[in-house]
Amino acid sequence: MDKFNSKTICVSEEVELSKMDSDLPLMILQSNYIMGYYSMMPNESRTPLLNHYYLLMKKSIPCFQDRIFRSVSFYEKDNKKLLHIYPGHMNVHGQEYNFIRFRHSEFDDVMKVLPYFKKRNIEFIKPKRFSPVKALIQFKEMVLFENFQENVYRDASAHHVFFFPIDIDIEYLTFSKMIEFIRNNCDFKHFEASLVYSVNSNYQIEDYAKIYSPNCEMDRLNEFEDNFVKAAKEFGIG
């Protein structure tokens, strides 16, 4: 088995969104993970705060995800850089939006990519009022999966992110309830979880639980799988 496998994944997760203060003629949202738990780490006291920014598109256009990836790719080639800018979708305050998601550290580069987006008819909304809100977002990103342990994969570029295969048909609402059950009934402390899927070479869907857990005890990773099975039984799944 190859140690690494490149995948394009679709991530579903809940975040707290708020408007960023800025003098730019763009409405910029920012997010952190909702306060949660790390997994089984008695020496940890920090809660993960993965700050990301979002620009909301003015209008929906055909194949917008492909246009975003293409725009970013050309910018990367022109500037010999590798960025983490990903297309996604959210429903906030009764409105549907397509968006780009990017890292705090790449803010300046994203501003330079805007002309590349505009060339492909991707434009973003101007500042307006926005009340903080908890939202379910979905976005696509490319990840290099590393075979880390049996039934455990790691993001090769982010060693605090792990993926656990899920063999049951599950939607995010049920997934989030199962994660809460694990937190409340198992000796897990702090971790954050997202529901992820990819499409394999046979055009089949592969589901994963994505776990963000810095400085975790590696020898206890498989315990998450055991507790996930317990949660599935609790909700009559499987």
Side-chain angles (χ1 to χ4, degrees), residues 30-46:
Q30 59 187 354
S31 75
N32 286 317
Y33 269 106
I34 295 169
M35 188 72 70
Y37 303 88
Y38 294 157
S39 58
M40 294 186 177
M41 290 169 275
N43 295 325
E44 291 190 342
S45 59
R46 294 183 300 111

Side-chain angles (χ1 to χ4, degrees), residues 199-205:
V199 181
N200 66 22
S201 58
N202 295 319
Y203 301 101
Q204 297 171 323
I205 293 292

Side-chain angles (χ1 to χ4, degrees), residues 1-5 7 39 144-156 158-166 207-213 216-226:
M1 180 184 294
D2 293 337
K3 185 174 176 60
F4 297 99
N5 188 9
K7 294 178 180 286
S39 58
L144 188 61
F145 274 49
E146 177 186 1
N147 288 300
F148 186 68
Q149 296 177 4
E150 184 177 0
N151 273 343
V152 180
Y153 301 91
R154 182 167 68 174
D155 185 336
H159 287 177
H160 51 274
V161 175
F162 302 91
F163 298 89
F164 298 81
I166 299 175
D207 291 312
Y208 300 88
K210 174 187 174 185
I211 303 300
Y212 168 67
S213 185
C216 73
E217 299 175 25
M218 302 299 183
D219 58 342
R220 302 192 70 182
L221 281 173
N222 284 322
E223 293 182 34
F224 177 84
E225 181 181 11
D226 295 337

Side-chain angles (χ1 to χ4, degrees), residues 36-235:
Y37 303 88
Y38 294 157
S39 58
M40 294 186 177
M41 290 169 275
N43 295 325
E44 291 190 342
S45 59
R46 294 183 300 111
T47 297
L49 293 177
L50 293 183
N51 184 265
H52 290 92
Y53 290 145
Y54 303 80
L55 291 179
L56 307 185
M57 289 176 54
K58 278 185 178 181
K59 59 183 180 180
S60 178
I61 58 177
C63 300
F64 87 96
Q65 295 178 343
D66 294 333
R67 297 190 195 198
I68 288 171
F69 282 131
R70 188 170 180 83
S71 300
V72 173
S73 177
F74 273 101
Y75 177 83
E76 290 174 332
K77 290 177 183 177
D78 289 345
N79 295 274
K80 295 180 174 56
K81 290 193 173 186
L82 176 63
L83 301 179
H84 303 81
I85 304 173
Y86 301 123
H89 172 267
M90 67 172 72
N91 184 318
V92 290
H93 300 310
Q95 299 275 345
E96 301 279 345
Y97 293 102
N98 294 327
F99 64 78
I100 61 166
R101 174 185 184 269
F102 56 98
R103 296 178 178 181
H104 175 272
S105 60
E106 297 176 344
F107 190 96
D108 291 341
D109 275 301
V110 170
M111 296 301 105
K112 296 175 183 177
V113 182
L114 293 181
Y116 290 75
F117 289 136
K118 189 172 183 179
K119 180 179 178 180
R120 293 171 179 84
N121 297 319
I122 298 171
E123 296 187 78
F124 302 98
I125 64 176
K126 295 180 179 180
K128 65 178 183 178
R129 295 181 63 181
F130 186 91
S131 302
V133 64
K134 181 191 295 186
L136 173 63
I137 66 170
Q138 292 180 309
F139 62 92
K140 290 190 176 180
E141 64 174 314
M142 285 78 72
V143 174
L144 188 61
F145 274 49
E146 177 186 1
N147 288 300
F148 186 68
Q149 296 177 4
E150 184 177 0
N151 273 343
V152 180
Y153 301 91
R154 182 167 68 174
D155 185 336
S157 66
H159 287 177
H160 51 274
V161 175
F162 302 91
F163 298 89
F164 298 81
I166 299 175
D167 294 328
I168 54 179
D169 187 7
I170 186 173
E171 298 297 333
Y172 185 82
L173 180 60
T174 302
F175 174 81
S176 63
K177 291 178 180 178
M178 291 169 63
I179 294 300
E180 193 64 25
F181 175 85
I182 293 172
R183 288 170 172 160
N184 292 336
N185 294 279
C186 306
D187 65 336
F188 276 54
K189 290 191 175 181
H190 297 84
F191 70 91
E192 302 296 350
S194 307
L195 181 61
V196 169
Y197 78 83
S198 66
V199 181
N200 66 22
S201 58
N202 295 319
Y203 301 101
Q204 297 171 323
I205 293 292
E206 297 177 337
D207 291 312
Y208 300 88
K210 174 187 174 185
I211 303 300
Y212 168 67
S213 185
N215 304 318
C216 73
E217 299 175 25
M218 302 299 183
D219 58 342
R220 302 192 70 182
L221 281 173
N222 284 322
E223 293 182 34
F224 177 84
E225 181 181 11
D226 295 337
N227 285 291
F228 195 87
V229 171
K230 293 178 184 177
K233 291 181 179 178
E234 176 70 17
F235 288 91

